[in-house]
Amino acid sequence: MMVDQSVIEQVEPSEPTFAEQLAAARAYAMRSLARRESAESELASRLRRQGYQEEVIEAVLDYCRGYNWVNDERYGGMAVRAGAAKGHGPIKIRFDLRRKGLDDMQIDAAFEQPELDWFELAFALLERRARVAELADFKLRMKWLKYLLGRGFTQDQARYAISALQEREE
């Protein structure tokens, strides 16, 4: 059977409509949020990288907020607990949350968790990593102080951890 080529029209693919883009963006957002919790700004950034328009992104974020699928306060609390479990201090966690797009009020609310004692977390991290004999030497003590500061603990928290570990072994 021969097909007359003059009858077949070349149809260029048209731009997807707003509704089609919105449906595709919602599906992408749901898949993304099913994998892991995200801050609003992270989700918006992922949608931008996929090439969605700003109106579509804002509509998807409103939709996700409406179902409480994306919630920066919940994300902040989860990130603080996860960071503490990894041995990160409050300074590092605060920096990471700010980088993820949370504002200072949301970050402060995330840190209001009574079960987290940063002094004891610094002590527990040092207890797992350092040998007490190393803390007798000034240079090694400064090395461990620098280690804790690099992990995001404050000077007070790091000094407490070192002195508490020394006292415990005396």
Side-chain angles (χ1 to χ4, degrees):
M1 174 176 196
M2 281 191 81
V3 177
D4 186 9
Q5 294 296 326
S6 63
V7 178
I8 300 175
E9 293 180 35
Q10 293 291 330
V11 179
E12 290 188 29
S14 63
E15 224 13 69
T17 65
F18 180 80
E20 292 170 340
Q21 282 189 2
L22 183 61
R26 274 187 196 163
Y28 178 81
M30 284 190 285
R31 285 191 310 273
S32 178
L33 291 170
R35 280 192 293 276
R36 71 178 193 88
E37 183 86 22
S38 297
E40 277 186 40
S41 61
E42 281 184 300
L43 182 59
S45 174
R46 275 192 238 123
L47 289 167
R48 271 187 212 95
R49 282 195 303 268
Q50 291 294 317
Y52 293 107
Q53 298 169 353
E54 287 300 318
E55 302 85 41
V56 172
I57 293 171
E58 198 52 46
V60 169
L61 289 176
D62 286 341
Y63 180 80
C64 291
R65 270 187 235 113
Y67 284 100
N68 203 25
W69 292 344
V70 65
N71 181 324
D72 283 347
E73 284 78 21
R74 183 181 63 224
Y75 174 77
M78 182 271 316
V80 168
R81 288 187 300 277
K86 290 180 193 171
H88 295 160
I91 295 171
K92 180 174 179 28
I93 296 170
R94 189 174 291 275
F95 175 79
D96 288 342
L97 290 175
R98 198 168 284 127
R99 201 168 38 97
K100 301 266 175 129
L102 273 69
D103 62 37
D104 287 336
M105 282 181 27
Q106 292 169 327
I107 293 171
D108 290 340
F111 273 93
E112 292 175 7
Q113 299 184 31
E115 71 271 8
L116 292 178
D117 181 356
W118 296 104
F119 289 91
E120 289 303 318
L121 288 170
F123 172 70
L125 178 63
L126 189 63
E127 190 177 37
R128 283 193 312 269
R129 297 284 181 148
R131 290 189 298 272
V132 178
E134 293 176 344
L135 298 179
D137 179 30
F138 178 77
K139 282 186 177 180
L140 288 174
R141 201 167 46 244
M142 290 301 107
K143 173 190 156 197
W144 286 110
L145 179 69
K146 185 178 175 185
Y147 171 77
L148 289 172
L149 293 175
R151 298 289 292 187
F153 290 98
T154 65
Q155 187 88 357
D156 290 340
Q157 292 161 351
R159 289 190 184 282
Y160 167 82
I162 290 172
S163 65
L165 191 57
Q166 284 177 318
E167 288 173 12
R168 200 183 100 200
E169 292 302 317
E170 289 176 358

